[in-house]
Amino acid sequence: MELLGKPIHTIKDELANILNRSLTELTDQIQKWIKSTEFTISIVSIDFQSPQQGQHSALTLKHDDGGMINFRCSAPLLIAMADRFYHSPVSRLNSVKSQILTASDFRLQQRLGHLFASVIAPEDMWNECDSSLSGDIGLVIQLDVSCEDTLGTITICIDSSLIQTLTTVIGLQPIANINEQFSKQLESTKVVLNTILCEKQMPLDQVLQLKPGDVFDIDLIQSSPISIGQEHLFNGHVAEQNGQLVLIINTSKDA
């Protein structure tokens, strides 16, 4: 699979975000086309799988930088939308003989496909083509759509080549680059080093009698543990250098 080594789940999540942000705009535009406010779209799933061919001709668009997208509406939904779009005086869904998709229906599907594709990449980067999507693993987006009393689906298939292109178009990066950036950020993060320089044992009754200003002797620890949080990194010992007390790290963590 060509996508190995790429942040494929990041691609999936980013496309889901793009679609979610665009649903209102898409819905408003289609409502204007079909002259009805009784039209809704919801995302059902976005999954990695091999693109499946539909039961009728679908629109295929090719991206200028490589890769293809396949768009199709379920037949009853497309007919219901086309009846509204072309101002049909009667509903063709009421007659079995009239439920055959026509060239006019496919022209509307073509228009819808371009609209949805423009959400993923600029409209001028898409060109219609007659090629079929490869059987490689790609993204299949399933949408539930209602048009007045008709329920149906819109299926959008994105092939693996287009996913590769989108890693650049929507600013995604290979995992290696992400890890490199994270490592650099982590290395510049400031942390607090903790160490214990002395310990003293006293009877509890003496501790309870301590008050501000009291003075007592202490003994420096020969090997002081140095840690970040709960993580013990190494040990060190106190020494005097240039008139100041310093902590010298031992060569061994256990020393």
Side-chain angles (χ1 to χ4, degrees):
M1 178 180 174
E2 294 182 8
L3 295 176
L4 289 177
K6 299 288 184 180
I8 56 177
H9 292 290
T10 304
I11 297 170
K12 174 182 173 180
D13 293 343
E14 183 62 25
L15 284 173
N17 290 335
I18 290 172
L19 282 174
N20 276 315
R21 291 195 300 265
S22 305
L23 281 183
T24 300
E25 181 181 348
L26 290 168
T27 301
D28 290 345
Q29 182 58 63
I30 296 173
Q31 286 179 348
K32 292 177 182 177
W33 287 350
I34 65 175
K35 296 178 175 60
S36 173
T37 57
E38 296 182 46
F39 179 87
T40 62
I41 310 172
S42 61
I43 300 174
V44 177
S45 62
I46 302 179
D47 295 313
F48 287 99
Q49 55 183 279
S50 297
Q52 302 295 322
Q53 297 300 319
Q55 296 179 349
H56 60 268
S57 298
L59 172 71
T60 301
L61 299 173
K62 186 175 183 179
H63 193 280
D64 285 346
D65 293 330
M68 294 184 292
I69 187 173
N70 184 279
F71 178 93
R72 65 177 180 272
C73 298
S74 57
L77 173 66
L78 186 56
I79 290 172
M81 295 174 66
D83 284 351
R84 297 291 306 177
F85 184 78
Y86 295 112
H87 310 290
S88 174
V90 295
S91 172
R92 287 181 291 154
L93 293 177
N94 294 331
S95 171
V96 176
K97 292 183 179 180
S98 299
Q99 293 184 26
I100 298 174
L101 293 174
T102 66
S104 296
D105 297 326
F106 289 126
R107 281 196 295 271
L108 177 58
Q109 179 174 256
Q110 180 184 39
R111 188 168 185 167
L112 291 167
H114 279 279
L115 176 65
F116 277 83
S118 67
V119 169
I120 299 174
E123 186 175 356
D124 59 2
M125 300 190 75
W126 298 104
N127 295 289
E128 294 182 23
C129 67
D130 296 327
S131 304
S132 298
L133 272 64
S134 68
D136 293 341
I137 296 296
L139 270 175
V140 177
I141 303 169
Q142 197 79 18
L143 307 175
D144 270 353
V145 182
S146 66
C147 179
E148 297 186 334
D149 295 330
T150 303
L151 302 178
T153 60
I154 288 177
T155 304
I156 304 171
C157 300
I158 298 175
D159 71 2
S160 58
S161 296
L162 181 57
I163 294 176
Q164 297 282 11
T165 297
L166 292 179
T167 60
T168 301
V169 172
I170 62 180
L172 299 176
Q173 299 172 309
I175 287 176
N177 289 344
I178 293 176
N179 287 340
E180 182 180 352
Q181 291 180 7
F182 176 76
S183 296
K184 289 181 179 179
Q185 187 67 30
L186 187 62
E187 289 171 359
S188 63
T189 300
K190 294 183 179 180
V191 296
V192 177
L193 285 176
N194 300 302
T195 186
I196 300 174
L197 299 180
C198 70
E199 290 181 342
K200 185 174 182 64
Q201 293 185 350
M202 298 176 63
L204 180 59
D205 60 342
Q206 292 185 22
V207 173
L208 295 175
Q209 294 174 19
L210 290 175
K211 59 184 182 298
D214 285 350
V215 178
F216 52 86
D217 296 331
I218 60 171
D219 296 318
L220 293 177
I221 297 177
Q222 295 297 318
S223 182
S224 300
I226 302 172
S227 61
I228 297 177
Q230 300 297 319
E231 184 66 24
H232 179 202
L233 302 178
F234 29 68
N235 293 332
H237 63 275
V238 177
E240 185 176 345
Q241 189 176 80
N242 299 327
Q244 291 185 332
L245 290 178
V246 296
L247 185 65
I248 300 176
I249 297 174
N250 298 332
T251 56
S252 171
K253 175 180 176 179
D254 299 323

